[in-house]
């Protein structure tokens, strides 16, 4: 008869340490111990086999067993009744998530992207060319023959002693590459990095960025150029800006002009940004010189076109009122994080 007591005591220990991870496991517990064919039912059944003097003790043990099992089942039920099958734990699923710091775009990238967007709305496509150029694409084809004094305007980094290879001094070289490879009409902008052998100061750097524009078709006129530049200036700096063109000289355009916009900071009345002139310069432009078209085998009698070139650093400095160009290249996080978030 000892083994009946042993079995009952073993079951009591089992019940005491039982756990249920969800409502389903709680139900399994109920069926196993308290169900109509459960362990307790079986143990109660042994009562009749016991000698009378052991019945009292066994009866008490069975009562303890039953109440312990029922109490355990209550515990399980209250743990799962509000949360169906979700186990109880300390994790608060409604708490706000961790904020991971996001990077910001570089201000030059913001302005370059904006320029691409503005020009793409009026039909310009984007093309790129190499940073290492030959003399012909960077100078000669752009109407700057070897002895031309205008070559001195751009201090060039030459890569070979014979001066045949160089780092491009402007993105105008990409005009030549595109005109050689395509047939009009063509309407492109060329954003890119350029290089000049200049002392680094607040206003000059040895590498900087330009956006070049080129439109070649039949009957393109200076009026088209002016309207496009006016549209660009308004999109970039606001509806109230005005543009003004001053006669200038570039070997690859005829006529050539320097383009100013009315100062968007003071509205033209004079301030430090426009050096009290009311106007700020944003780039050069003009009608593509027929000699340049002919260099690229485009019939200058049939086609005409305009070109323009703007410095991305210059436009960014104006737009965000940054007064030192070197800030763009120092990667100081305190400077960079002031600009629009990357998303
Ligand atoms: N390439 C000139 C520079 O770097 C800028 C320029 C002026 C480009 C007039 C043009 C243009 O296309 O028509 O200074």
């Amino acid at each position: 008869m000892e083994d009946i007591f042993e079995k009952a005591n073993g079951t009591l220990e089992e019940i005491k340490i039982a756990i249920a991870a969800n409502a389903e496991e709680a139900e399994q517990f109920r069926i196993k111990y308290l169900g109509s064919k459960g362990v307790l039912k079986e143990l109660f059944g042994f009562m009749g086999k016991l000698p009378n003097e052991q019945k009292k003790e066994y009866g008490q043990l069975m009562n303890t067993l039953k109440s312990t099992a029922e109490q355990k089942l209550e515990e399980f039920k209250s743990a799962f009744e509000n949360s169906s099958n979700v186990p109880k734990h300390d994790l608060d699923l409604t708490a706000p998530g961790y904020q991971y710091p996001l990077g910001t775009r570089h201000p030059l990238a913001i302005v370059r992207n904006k320029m691409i967007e503005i020009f793409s709305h009026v039909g310009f496509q984007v093309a790129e060319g190499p940073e290492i150029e030959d003399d012909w694409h960077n100078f000669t084809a752009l109407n700057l023959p070897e002895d031309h004094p205008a070559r001195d305007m751009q201090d060039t980094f030459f890569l070979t002693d014979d001066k045949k290879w160089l780092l491009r001094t402007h993105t105008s070289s990409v005009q030549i590459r595109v005109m050689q490879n395509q047939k009009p009409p063509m309407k492109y902008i060329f954003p890119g990095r350029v290089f000049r052998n200049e002392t680094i100061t607040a206003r000059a750097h040895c590498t900087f960025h330009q956006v070049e524009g080129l439109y070649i078709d039949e009957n393109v006129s200076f009026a088209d150029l002016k309207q496009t530049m006016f549209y660009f200036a308004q999109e970039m700096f606001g509806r109230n800006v005005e543009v003004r063109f001053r006669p200038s000289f570039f070997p690859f355009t005829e006529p050539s002009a320097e383009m100013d916009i009315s100062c968007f900071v003071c509205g033209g009345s004079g301030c430090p940004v426009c050096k009290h002139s009311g106007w700020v310069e944003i780039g050069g432009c003009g009608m593509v010189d027929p000699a340049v078209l002919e260099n690229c085998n485009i019939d200058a009698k049939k086609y005409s076109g305009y070109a323009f070139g703007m410095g991305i650093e210059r436009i960014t400095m104006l737009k965000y009122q940054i007064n030192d160009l070197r800030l763009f290249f120092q990667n100081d996080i305190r400077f960079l994080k002031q600009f629009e978030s990357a998303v």
Side-chain angles (χ1 to χ4, degrees):
M1 291 300 119
E2 277 312 302
D3 52 343
I4 292 181
F5 275 91
E6 220 169 85
K7 197 168 180 192
N9 276 314
T11 305
L12 181 61
E13 290 312 307
E14 249 177 57
I15 290 172
K16 279 183 186 164
I17 59 167
I19 48 169
N22 49 44
E24 200 181 309
E25 286 184 21
E27 176 63 4
Q28 279 162 13
F29 172 90
R30 189 192 66 76
I31 295 168
K32 180 173 177 188
Y33 296 102
L34 297 166
S36 54
K37 292 178 187 151
V39 180
L40 264 60
K41 188 95 174 170
E42 189 196 359
L43 290 171
F44 269 115
F46 296 144
M47 183 77 105
K49 297 184 181 167
L50 286 169
N52 280 345
E53 65 274 19
Q54 287 184 348
K55 280 192 173 142
K56 191 175 172 211
E57 195 189 338
Y58 189 74
Q60 279 168 353
L61 180 57
M62 289 314 294
N63 283 340
T64 314
L65 252 174
K66 190 165 183 251
S67 60
T68 310
E70 280 168 355
Q71 200 185 328
K72 200 74 180 190
L73 189 62
E74 275 319 300
E75 264 174 45
F76 291 162
K77 276 189 186 157
S78 65
F80 301 126
E81 71 187 356
N82 293 328
S83 49
S84 63
N85 279 344
V86 182
K88 265 243 175 323
H89 46 54
D90 295 335
L91 188 63
D92 179 0
L93 297 174
T94 64
Y98 293 110
Q99 293 281 317
Y100 289 101
L102 281 176
T104 53
R105 268 192 223 291
H106 194 284
L108 294 178
I110 296 172
V111 170
R112 183 201 51 209
N113 292 349
K114 180 84 186 158
M115 291 175 82
I116 291 173
E117 187 192 316
I118 292 171
F119 282 112
S120 72
H121 287 168
V122 285
F124 285 85
Q125 285 177 280
V126 177
E128 288 184 353
E131 292 178 350
I132 295 178
E133 260 303 2
D134 55 37
D135 176 282
W136 194 76
H137 289 92
N138 196 78
F139 291 128
T140 309
L142 284 161
N143 216 16
L144 283 111
E146 238 159 70
D147 52 355
H148 198 290
R151 284 194 179 206
D152 300 337
M153 278 161 56
Q154 304 183 349
D155 301 299
T156 310
F157 284 117
F158 290 102
L159 300 174
T160 51
D161 288 339
D162 62 3
K163 298 194 170 179
K164 186 174 178 310
W165 291 97
L166 45 88
L167 294 176
R168 69 178 177 197
T169 57
H170 51 186
T171 41
S172 304
S173 57
V174 194
Q175 282 187 29
I176 302 299
R177 290 191 172 269
V178 167
M179 283 194 281
Q180 275 185 305
N181 293 320
Q182 303 204 17
K183 299 216 171 324
M186 45 189 135
K187 202 171 187 186
Y188 280 99
I189 53 167
F190 316 116
R193 187 162 55 157
V194 300
F195 306 85
R196 287 191 200 172
N197 192 356
E198 289 196 42
T199 314
I200 297 171
T201 66
R203 317 208 116 249
H205 210 287
C206 57
T207 103
F208 54 100
H209 301 79
Q210 292 184 329
V211 170
E212 184 87 11
L214 178 73
Y215 175 38
I216 310 281
D217 202 348
E218 288 177 39
N219 301 319
V220 178
S221 74
F222 203 94
D224 298 321
L225 169 62
K226 281 176 80 172
Q227 180 54 36
T228 305
M229 294 294 102
F230 183 45
Y231 156 76
F232 166 75
Q234 289 206 326
E235 291 293 309
M236 193 58 150
F237 295 103
R239 295 281 152 196
N240 296 329
V241 298
E242 288 171 43
V243 287
R244 137 181 126 167
F245 293 79
R246 283 175 292 112
S248 184
F249 172 77
F250 298 100
F252 29 90
T253 42
E254 183 58 38
S256 303
E258 213 98 49
M259 186 175 40
D260 297 342
I261 57 166
S262 60
C263 182
F264 55 93
V265 176
C266 63
S269 58
C271 73
V273 172
C274 60
K275 296 201 211 78
H276 301 282
S277 70
W279 296 90
V280 287
E281 190 188 316
I282 63 162
C285 57
M287 301 306 292
V288 179
D289 194 300
V292 175
L293 294 176
E294 297 292 346
N295 285 340
C296 302
N297 295 320
I298 291 174
D299 183 355
K301 290 197 185 69
K302 187 167 180 204
Y303 295 105
S304 57
Y306 63 71
F308 55 86
M310 290 183 272
I312 302 182
E313 278 78 358
R314 168 116 190 107
I315 300 216
T316 311
M317 287 170 86
L318 289 171
K319 196 168 167 60
Y320 293 112
Q321 292 170 49
I322 298 163
N323 57 14
D324 192 330
L325 191 102
R326 290 166 295 195
L327 287 163
F328 291 130
F329 304 102
Q330 284 163 347
N331 279 338
D332 185 332
I333 211 84
R334 293 167 302 177
F335 171 72
L336 295 175
K337 76 177 178 196
Q338 297 175 64
F339 301 91
E340 160 201 285
S341 168
V343 285

